[in-house]
Structures are given as structure tokens and as C-alpha cells.
Amino acid sequence: MNTLESIPLHQERALIRVDFNVPLDDKGNVTDATRIAAALPTIQYIISKGGSCVLMSHLGRPKGFDQKFSLKQILPSLQEQLGQSIQFCPDVVGEKAEAQAAALKPGEVLLIENLRFHEEETKGDKAFAAGLAKLGTVYVNDAFGTAHRAHASTTIVAQFFPKKKCFGHLLAGEIEAIDKVMSSGEKPVLAILGGAKVSSKITIIENILPKVDHLIIGGGMAFTFIKAQGGKIGKSICEDDKMPLALSILEQAKEHGVQIHLPVDVRAGQSFANDTQQQVFPINEIPDDWEGMDAGPDSEVKFDAVVKQCKTILWNGPLGVFEFSNFANGTRALGDSVVAQTKRGAFSLVGGGDSVAAVKQFKLENAVSYVSTGGGAMLESLEGKTLPGIAAILA
Ligand code: AMP
């Protein structure tokens, strides 16, 4: 892999695509600095090797210049975390930015303004990318969250550094974690897929079936599988048009020798609300006016036993409506099982959207092996797609 260790950094000026797309309050203060902290190892490594850094990122989805989306607002947080002062340039290309970048001494850091103030960024404009390329002597991509986009700073700019481009530590870690669950991980391999809809996970299921030994299907998407097999699911969420596909997935799993595990019971409610009356039913005997909203206690035990057998675990999607505290039990219990198995030596990757929110809500993010920083990028990786930002470094 093209890692930071594979290119010389001494006296070099690293143009680093980071992901500083952080949430801000209405005064412009960073309210969650996780992404800034995640970029530090790469910046610190380059500095320790005698290089300087030019940091570029997007923030939000501005249309043209908009003070609300200025990256200048994150400077205090970035400076505090890095423990040194950082220069800022309001331009991203052109003479001023080039001069400021060229004047950097080893150990110094420059942050340039929000790339998305320029529509050329998302269009993947080559001339704009050439302008960005003038700011550095080596290119480092450390933004997994945008690696599935062929934008100027994430993909196109790499072609101007044919021999001097690499992944940062964060992106390299993401690639390694995905590789572990998709090909190099210790068996048995388990994938846990939850969330609302089968339709949004079909490509993932089809891509991972040949790679896993066990597949837990939970959350709202389980009901399409249960109904397709003749179960009564009450008014639980279901995609009737996907029932034939659900049956075909069960069939494909058999052919691949994959064991599929569905919930055996549910915590149901009478309306879609946290404080609705709650009752547990067998998964295929839910009365007409009840809605399955969380995995039930027997399912928790069943899933725990599956998790305990596995050495490599991928978790994408919650097992219930975990945003409602009264229906968070199933997801929390699964989180606890995954954490316990990680302690016993398994590798666990949590990635793609709401399962990341769930592990953070339950404060388990430091107790699993890896929590992905990229929602859409992780989903596309699990679908088996080659991400343009990754391909551009390997080209
Ligand atoms: P996804 O983005 O596809 O991973 O779906 C995540 C969403 O699925 C979360 O907001 C959950 O509240 C929702 N979800 C999980 N289980 C259920 C369920 N049984 N009924 C309705 N929504 C669910």
C-alpha cells in the first residue's frame, strides 16, 4: 500500500486532503472535533519527518462563498489540538495561496479555505486541481469520508503527483479494516446488517455473501424476510416488492454455505413513539395493530451466541429504532456482545451510518477494533466498488 512511510517527507510540503467537515454551533464553534482529532496523526507524522503541511478540506455544502461555512472558524480548535499556531489562507488556488504555501518552513502548517466555495471542486475540474497541486510537493489523501467522490481535491489532484502521492494514516487504517472483513480476516467471519430497508443494503448483501460465514439480518429489514417466509409481521416496516429478493438471498446464502440468523422475537409498539405501550412477540406472530421496533430478548441471546463464534465482525445498521431509548435494548445488547468478543481477540469493524451513531450513543466506540469515519464511502466499499479517491493513489 502507498503509505506515508513509503515516500520521503523531509523538506517536502505535503498537500493533505483532510476531512474537516465538522459540526459548528451558530457562533461558529466546533461542537464535535472527532474528525479534527482523527487527522492529527498524519499531520504530526509529517512534521516529525521534517515536512510542512498544507491542509485542504470541504465544510458543508455551500453554494459559493458563505461566511457560515468558512474553515477559518475551525482554526482555534485545530490549533488547540495540534498544540501550535496554524496559518490560514482565504484563497485555495492562485498566487497568494501559492506564495503562502511556498513560504512554509519545516514543521509549519497552513490551512486553506473551504474547497467547496469553488464549484470546480465537486465538478472534478482538472485546471482547478492543477492549481491545488501547486501548493504541495507531495499529495496525501487522508479523507475517507470523501474517497467515494471524484472531486478535484480527492481524486483529480493525485495525477499531478505521479510518484509522490500516498494515503494518510487515517485512510490507510480504513482500507486495512475493510480489507480485514472482506478478505484477509480470521474466520469465522460475521456480518451484521440492520437498519430500515432491505433495498438500501441489497448490493452489500450480494457482495458479502461469498465472503462471510454468518450473516445476522436485523432491524426493520428483517421483516421483509420474515413476511416472505409466511410470518405475520403486523404493521412492521416491510418492502413487499423485495420479498422475492429476500427469498433469493436466503437461497444464495445456502449455496454459499452462509448461515443466516434472523431475530426470533421483537419488542413491538402500538405506535411509532418512544413511550408507546411495549410488548414482546415471536417475530412471526405480531398482531395486526402492533409494530416491531426492536430485537427481543431471545434474539439478543441468539445473536450473542453467534457473535461468540466469530473472529472477524462487521456491523452495519442498528437492530431497532435505537433513537428511542425504550427500543434501544437490542442494538445496545448487540454492541455489548461485539465488545465482549473484541476483548476475546476478535476484530470488529463498525461502519456505515447509523451503527456508528449507535456505538457512540452507547459509548462503545473505543471498545471495538475500528469505527469507520466514512458513511457513504464505507457503504460503497462494502458494495465492492473501487473508490475513486483510493484508485487515484494506487494508479
Ligand atoms: P439505515 O440508515 O438503513 O442503517 O437505517 C437506520 C434506521 O433504521 C434507524 O434510524 C432506525 O431507527 C431504523 N430502524 C431500525 N429498526 C427499525 C424498525 N424495526 N422499524 C423501523 N425503523 C427501524
Side-chain angles (χ1 to χ4, degrees):
M1 200 165 30
N2 302 23
T3 56
L4 276 171
E5 291 77 11
S6 65
I7 59 169
L9 294 164
H10 186 66
Q11 302 277 340
E12 300 282 353
R13 200 176 342 118
L15 176 65
I16 316 175
R17 178 50 158 105
V18 288
D19 181 1
F20 286 165
N21 185 28
V22 292
L24 302 173
D25 64 17
D26 51 13
K27 293 201 179 72
N29 300 309
V30 176
T31 54
D32 179 353
T34 311
R35 286 183 171 155
I36 295 178
L40 297 182
T42 290
I43 301 169
Q44 285 161 335
Y45 180 83
I46 292 167
I47 291 174
S48 77
K49 294 289 169 193
S52 56
C53 301
V54 177
L55 308 177
M56 57 177 176
S57 176
H58 77 286
L59 175 63
R61 295 179 173 201
K63 300 230 176 320
F65 178 80
D66 182 343
Q67 193 56 47
K68 274 205 312 283
F69 294 101
S70 173
L71 271 174
K72 196 170 186 186
Q73 301 169 98
I74 75 152
L75 261 188
S77 175
L78 181 57
Q79 295 187 136
E80 189 190 322
Q81 294 206 49
L82 194 59
Q84 71 179 68
S85 81
I86 291 166
Q87 300 176 38
F88 181 77
C89 181
D91 296 342
V92 302
V93 288
E95 276 175 27
K96 186 173 172 186
E98 284 168 33
Q100 226 174 318
L104 286 176
K105 298 188 191 71
E108 290 184 339
V109 181
L110 166 69
L111 171 68
I112 62 172
E113 185 52 287
N114 190 347
L115 293 160
R116 289 207 191 156
F117 286 167
H118 305 261
E119 61 177 11
E120 293 91 336
E121 162 65 358
T122 49
K123 287 193 168 142
D125 185 88
K126 194 166 172 184
F128 181 70
L132 293 174
K134 290 191 181 145
L135 304 183
T137 58
V138 300
Y139 170 65
V140 181
N141 189 352
D142 210 19
F144 182 60
T146 47
H148 58 316
R149 308 276 185 223
H151 293 171
S153 69
T154 63
T155 302
I156 313 301
V157 70
Q159 61 194 255
F160 298 98
F161 300 89
K163 297 215 169 62
K164 289 182 156 188
K165 55 185 175 179
C166 69
F167 302 113
H169 286 319
L170 181 65
L171 185 42
E174 295 272 0
I175 295 170
E176 215 175 289
I178 294 166
D179 183 65
K180 267 197 187 142
V181 295
M182 300 298 259
S183 56
S184 68
E186 216 182 317
K187 285 178 151 297
V189 179
L190 162 68
I192 304 158
L193 295 182
K197 291 182 169 176
V198 185
S199 50
S200 62
K201 306 276 162 92
I202 295 166
T203 327
I204 296 182
I205 299 179
E206 291 183 336
N207 185 47
I208 61 175
L209 269 184
K211 306 174 172 45
V212 301
D213 304 290
H214 295 271
L215 175 61
I216 291 178
I217 297 178
M221 59 188 258
F223 297 110
T224 303
F225 287 81
I226 299 296
K227 188 172 174 189
Q229 295 178 90
K232 281 180 63 207
I233 60 163
K235 48 179 192 172
S236 308
I237 188 172
C238 183
E239 291 167 283
D240 285 354
D241 61 324
K242 295 290 174 297
M243 290 199 297
L245 182 81
L247 293 176
S248 137
I249 287 169
L250 295 174
E251 218 29 62
Q252 288 176 51
K254 261 192 215 146
E255 282 160 24
H256 287 290
V258 179
Q259 290 189 49
I260 295 216
H261 309 275
L262 287 155
V264 286
D265 60 350
V266 279
R267 293 181 169 96
Q270 286 199 301
S271 62
F272 194 76
N274 185 40
D275 53 5
T276 186
Q277 200 191 333
Q278 187 178 124
Q279 203 170 316
V280 175
F281 298 103
I283 189 86
N284 52 2
E285 290 174 32
I286 306 174
D288 287 347
D289 53 344
W290 289 79
E291 174 171 2
M293 284 160 64
D294 191 15
D298 291 347
S299 306
E300 289 173 13
V301 174
K302 174 182 170 176
F303 293 158
D304 183 59
V306 178
V307 170
K308 274 194 181 121
Q309 295 172 45
C310 295
K311 296 267 172 57
T312 302
I313 302 165
L314 161 73
W315 181 14
N316 168 267
L319 292 194
V321 188
F322 74 99
E323 299 93 334
F324 294 159
S325 55
N326 293 335
F327 293 93
N329 254 58
T331 305
R332 181 192 298 264
L334 179 74
D336 290 340
S337 299
V338 172
V339 164
Q341 189 61 1
T342 308
K343 282 205 185 98
R344 289 182 210 106
F347 176 82
S348 53
L349 163 62
V350 182
D354 272 336
S355 36
V356 173
V359 292
K360 285 191 175 163
Q361 181 174 314
F362 305 141
K363 303 208 178 339
L364 301 176
E365 70 260 47
N366 295 323
V368 293
S369 312
Y370 201 87
V371 179
S372 175
T373 55
M378 173 52 84
L379 294 178
E380 290 196 17
S381 302
L382 298 177
E383 286 174 351
K385 293 187 184 141
T386 305
L387 308 188
I390 293 177
I393 296 289
L394 299 174

